[in-house]
Amino acid sequence: MKIAMVGSGYVGLVSGACFADFGHDVVCIDKDQSKIDRLHDGIMPIYEPGLDALVDANVKAGRLSFTTDLAEGIKGASAIFIAVGTPSRRGDGHADLSFVYAVAREVGESLSGDAVVVTKSTVPVGTGDEVERIIAESGCTHRVSVVSNPEFLREGAAIGDFKRPDRIVIGAEDDFGKEVMREVYRPLFLNEAPTLFTGRRSSELIKYAANAFLATKITFINEMADLCEKVGANVQDVSRGIGMDNRIGPKFLHAGPGYGGSCFPKDTLALLKTAEDYDSPVRIVEAVAKVNESRKRAMGRKVIEALGGIDAARGKKAALLGLTFKPNTDDMRDSPAIAVAQALTDAGVNVAAYDPEGMELAKPLMPKVVMCDDPYTAIEGADAVAIVTEWDAFRALDLDRVKELANAPVIVDLRNIYRPDDMRTKGFTYTSIGRP
């Protein structure tokens, strides 16, 4: 089957490469000529473990190609996926669907045969209805079924998530759409991947509801961590204790500096706006979004306290280890590190930082932060070292070297990757999240 993937960013490129690896003939389409040129040269526009090798293998096999020409790219495609960005719209926080609608219009004007048009982008409830209307009004005379097929990919583990999914959600309103989507995902049906066919609107809401629930879980354990610090409990023990309950489960119960990235902040906000539009407020999600934003800045204050407080911190140096919102990605969108760095520089602290993959994207977001070539360069002369992202490279730091290079043996572990007793035994003044 020929598949066209309109949008060659994170979702589009990973999905397109994985579909090609299943044996489909895939064309990835993007308006950005420089991005397409880089892909032709084997240069990935994003960092995702294993993606470069997967793309290279399928390009060489002739199953994956790239173009800026949408009309040519969708020619003969049975399924056309829309995987363009839906950022938060400035001013009101609604998802900006202008790219989605522009693609729908161009697809409608360019179709040369029957096809299923699939919204892979995360979109609010009712977007599929509007896509259907736009295609119909474009003068398209071919049979078209508009389907919702949300993605559930975790950055840093996207290829595995795509090939071994927890579930496949397909929102279709007719048999034609269902039949084509069954063929698209047939390789995964053979692996008995759980597949849920729903109405289109239900499918659109499932993605937002899932992300809002996970964001709530993260925020809940973060607030429990704050309580643990006040009462002398250990949040890791609390997390294990409640996570052993099968009704709750252990995932997303790791206390930290707050959630970030391309999905949770944007999607919780979009869900709030959708709920508001339909006069059905979701107060829990509203509280989650507010608490998460304030937490990020609070983590900066935690580092300032480790430097001796607001008055003593001015002129001192802090080293930030990890800048991306999570490990194994270069994504800086809504990363807690941005708020932490801002709080520190606002307090007059000199900040040096290191991240294995995110520094190029971090530079314009943190103009006052000195980017370093390795963690030890950042640590040199620091009065406090803050672990902001739990990259594997930070889990086994040479602690003797850290003590030797740092101006003071102070570590603020915002990801709880070290044991408090071990750190104190080694002579560090050690602060973590929700642990005595």
Side-chain angles (χ1 to χ4, degrees):
M1 174 185 287
K2 179 177 178 180
I3 294 173
M5 189 69 61
V6 185
S8 299
Y10 186 83
V11 172
L13 186 57
V14 171
S15 300
C18 288
F19 278 138
D21 211 44
F22 291 158
H24 293 304
D25 177 16
V26 179
V27 180
C28 286
I29 305 161
D30 203 287
K31 291 286 190 184
D32 187 340
Q33 183 67 59
S34 63
K35 181 188 291 185
I36 295 300
D37 290 342
R38 291 195 301 273
L39 285 168
H40 281 142
D41 292 336
I43 302 170
M44 300 300 104
I46 55 169
Y47 174 73
E48 177 65 30
L51 182 60
D52 50 355
L54 186 69
V55 169
D56 181 62
N58 284 283
V59 167
K60 287 179 178 176
R63 293 189 298 265
L64 181 62
S65 60
F66 309 100
T67 184
T68 58
D69 188 338
L70 184 141
E72 185 62 31
I74 68 172
K75 190 178 293 183
S78 299
I80 302 166
F81 284 79
I82 300 177
V84 294
T86 54
S88 293
R89 194 166 63 192
R90 288 186 179 182
D92 62 6
H94 281 276
D96 184 349
L97 299 173
S98 58
F99 300 117
V100 172
Y101 294 155
V103 170
R105 189 169 294 105
E106 191 172 354
V107 166
E109 294 168 351
S110 306
L111 270 177
S112 58
D114 297 346
V116 172
V117 175
V118 188
T119 53
K120 197 71 171 168
S121 304
T122 301
V123 296
V125 175
T127 301
D129 299 350
E130 183 65 11
V131 167
E132 188 174 67
R133 184 192 66 78
I134 290 171
I135 292 174
E137 289 185 354
S138 70
C140 177
T141 57
H142 301 286
R143 180 170 57 160
V144 176
S145 177
V146 176
V147 169
S148 168
N149 176 219
E151 54 84 16
F152 301 99
L153 307 179
R154 296 169 299 161
E155 292 187 46
I159 294 171
D161 287 346
F162 194 98
K163 292 189 171 185
R164 294 175 293 279
D166 291 330
R167 78 286 203 196
I168 301 165
V169 176
I170 298 169
E173 300 294 331
D174 55 48
D175 291 338
F176 175 48
K178 292 176 184 177
E179 289 168 9
V180 170
M181 293 305 289
R182 282 194 183 96
E183 183 62 22
V184 166
Y185 282 105
R186 183 168 55 84
L188 289 178
F189 291 168
L190 297 176
N191 294 336
E192 298 185 346
T195 303
L196 174 65
F197 282 95
T198 73
R200 196 163 55 207
R201 286 185 164 229
S202 295
S203 175
E204 291 167 341
L205 186 54
I206 283 169
K207 175 59 187 282
Y208 279 124
N211 279 353
F213 185 82
L214 295 175
T216 301
K217 217 173 169 186
I218 292 169
T219 304
F220 174 82
I221 201 62
N222 283 341
E223 292 212 309
M224 288 299 103
D226 291 344
L227 182 58
C228 284
E229 291 180 10
K230 298 293 185 181
V231 303
N234 186 324
V235 71
Q236 289 182 315
D237 291 339
V238 173
S239 176
R240 291 188 192 100
I242 63 177
M244 292 169 75
D245 187 327
N246 289 332
R247 296 169 300 174
I248 298 171
K251 293 184 178 180
F252 290 86
L253 286 177
H254 302 287
Y259 61 76
S262 62
C263 293
F264 289 1
K266 173 178 69 71
D267 293 352
T268 50
L269 187 57
L271 180 60
L272 287 173
K273 295 302 179 182
T274 297
E276 185 180 300
D277 288 347
Y278 284 87
D279 195 24
S280 180
V282 281
R283 302 297 188 202
I284 292 174
V285 181
E286 188 176 319
V288 164
K290 188 178 295 184
V291 168
N292 186 67
E293 281 308 301
S294 64
R295 183 171 187 79
K296 296 176 186 178
R297 188 84 178 180
M299 295 299 102
R301 293 195 294 272
K302 199 176 188 75
V303 180
I304 290 170
E305 288 173 16
L307 288 167
I310 191 70
D311 294 328
R314 184 169 298 278
K316 288 187 176 181
K317 177 183 176 180
L320 302 186
L321 301 186
L323 298 174
T324 53
F325 85 97
K326 64 181 286 188
N328 298 320
T329 180
D330 60 355
D331 197 341
M332 285 295 302
R333 285 173 285 187
D334 283 295
S335 172
I338 299 171
V340 171
Q342 188 65 57
L344 291 172
T345 55
D346 286 350
V349 178
N350 301 311
V351 181
Y354 170 74
D355 188 279
E357 293 292 339
M359 290 194 292
E360 282 303 311
L361 292 176
K363 283 178 183 176
L365 301 173
M366 305 176 178
K368 295 182 180 179
V369 174
V370 176
M371 301 295 168
C372 300
D373 293 334
D374 61 76
Y376 299 104
T377 302
I379 290 168
E380 189 171 1
D383 297 287
V385 178
I387 300 170
V388 187
T389 311
E390 68 275 33
W391 285 91
D392 286 344
F394 305 144
R395 293 180 181 274
L397 291 170
D398 184 338
L399 296 177
D400 291 332
R401 189 178 176 189
V402 171
K403 284 181 67 177
E404 180 182 322
L405 290 170
N407 190 48
V410 177
I411 290 183
V412 183
D413 185 354
L414 301 181
R415 296 291 184 171
N416 290 351
I417 63 176
Y418 287 99
R419 297 177 185 273
D421 290 343
D422 292 347
M423 299 303 287
R424 291 177 188 129
T425 298
K426 290 183 177 293
F428 285 95
T429 300
Y430 179 78
T431 304
S432 59
I433 301 292
R435 300 188 295 181

